Amino acid sequence: MKLIIFGATGSVGRQLVEQALQAGHTVTAFTRDSGKLNGLSHPLLRVVEGDVLQEQQVVDSMKEQEAVLCALGAGRKGIVRSAGTKNILGAMEKAGISRFICQTTLGAGDSRANLNFFWKHIMFGWFLKEAYKDHELQEKHIQQSRLNWTIVRPAAFTNGELTGKYQHGFPVMEKKLKLKISRADLADFMLRQLTTEQYRQRAAGLSY
C-alpha cells in the first residue's frame, strides 16, 4: 500500500516508517527536516520536506497516496497536532483519500476515565495541559470529518521492544491498565489498522 506518514521523524513516526517498510509498503515520510531520519534509506521510501502548517505543501504531498498515518508531536505546547491535522484532513478530501489513522493520547475524550489521579490532575491537569488541549481539538477535527478514520489513544510511551501483545479498545472505565505502551507496539497497532475496519470511525485506547 502507498502510505504517507506525518510526524515521520518523531519517536513514534520513525517506528511507523521502519515497520511499514519492513511490511513492504511504499512510504512517503513527510518531515520538516529530512536530516532527522539519520540517513535512513530504502527503495520503497520517499522523503518529502515540508511544513504541516502550510496547507499547500500538505496538499502537494498527497498525490498517489492510498492511506495516511499521523503521529504529529509538539512537545508540551503548540498547536501543531490540531492545526496540522486539520490541514491533513482537508488535503485528503481534496485528493480523494479516505483512510486516516491518527495517534492522539489516552485520556482524550471519554477515555479520561481510564486515567489515574496522577495522569488526570498532575500531568494533563498541569504539566501537559496545553498538549492535552491540542489533542482534544485534534480529535474534534477528525471526528467531524467525513473520512474513514481511526483514532489511536496510546498510554505513556516507553522505549520497549515490539511485542504485539497489548490491550486495545478496552472500556473507558477499565482500570486494570499499566498506562504504558512501547512506541514499537504503538506503531504495530497503527499499521494493523490498515487491514481491518474494526475501529472504523472509532477511537481505540492502547495500553499494556
Side-chain angles (χ1 to χ4, degrees):
M1 187 177 291
K2 294 180 179 179
L3 312 177
I4 182 167
I5 298 172
F6 289 88
T9 55
S11 61
V12 175
R14 178 66 180 244
Q15 284 285 340
L16 284 171
V17 171
E18 292 180 353
Q19 291 187 35
L21 291 171
Q22 290 169 7
H25 296 293
T26 299
V27 176
T28 297
F30 189 98
T31 174
R32 292 187 66 175
D33 182 1
S34 60
K36 291 184 178 180
L37 283 169
N38 297 323
L40 177 64
S41 63
H42 192 283
L44 297 177
L45 175 64
R46 180 172 72 103
V47 180
V48 172
E49 284 196 340
D51 184 349
V52 75
L53 299 181
Q54 298 297 317
E55 183 179 7
Q56 190 57 50
Q57 293 180 21
V58 179
V59 170
D60 291 343
S61 73
M62 290 289 175
K63 295 176 182 177
E64 300 182 358
Q65 304 296 336
E66 296 176 285
V68 179
L69 292 98
C70 177
L72 291 174
R76 292 172 55 187
K77 297 183 179 181
I79 59 168
V80 171
R81 301 171 187 88
S82 57
T85 296
K86 187 175 182 179
N87 282 342
I88 293 168
L89 295 169
M92 288 180 66
E93 290 189 358
K94 289 181 180 179
I97 304 167
S98 177
R99 193 68 177 109
F100 182 58
I101 302 162
C102 185
Q103 170 243 312
T104 62
T105 185
L106 191 66
D110 57 4
S111 71
R112 186 174 178 82
N114 289 129
L115 302 181
N116 57 25
F117 179 90
F118 175 76
W119 276 99
K120 281 182 184 177
H121 302 289
I122 305 301
M123 295 302 286
F124 288 151
W126 173 65
F127 188 68
L128 298 174
K129 184 177 181 179
E130 295 303 314
Y132 179 76
K133 288 169 59 178
D134 198 26
H135 273 308
E136 289 272 79
L137 182 56
Q138 180 185 35
E139 287 203 358
K140 183 178 180 180
H141 290 324
I142 297 168
Q143 292 164 348
Q144 290 177 342
S145 77
R146 295 173 292 179
L147 304 178
N148 176 9
W149 54 263
T150 296
I151 291 172
V152 180
R153 293 169 170 167
F157 299 150
T158 75
N159 291 322
E161 297 180 355
L162 171 62
T163 70
K165 298 178 181 179
Y166 37 72
Q167 299 186 64
H168 57 85
F170 37 76
V172 295
M173 296 305 294
E174 177 62 58
K175 298 296 184 181
K176 296 180 180 180
L177 302 170
K178 293 185 178 180
L179 297 181
K180 294 181 180 180
I181 189 74
S182 74
R183 294 171 175 85
D185 274 335
L186 168 56
D188 175 71
F189 180 74
M190 290 179 69
L191 289 167
R192 287 176 184 266
Q193 303 318 299
L194 293 169
T195 55
T196 178
E197 293 291 309
Q198 181 178 6
Y199 294 110
R200 178 188 174 98
Q201 293 183 313
R202 291 177 58 194
L206 189 68
S207 181
Y208 295 130

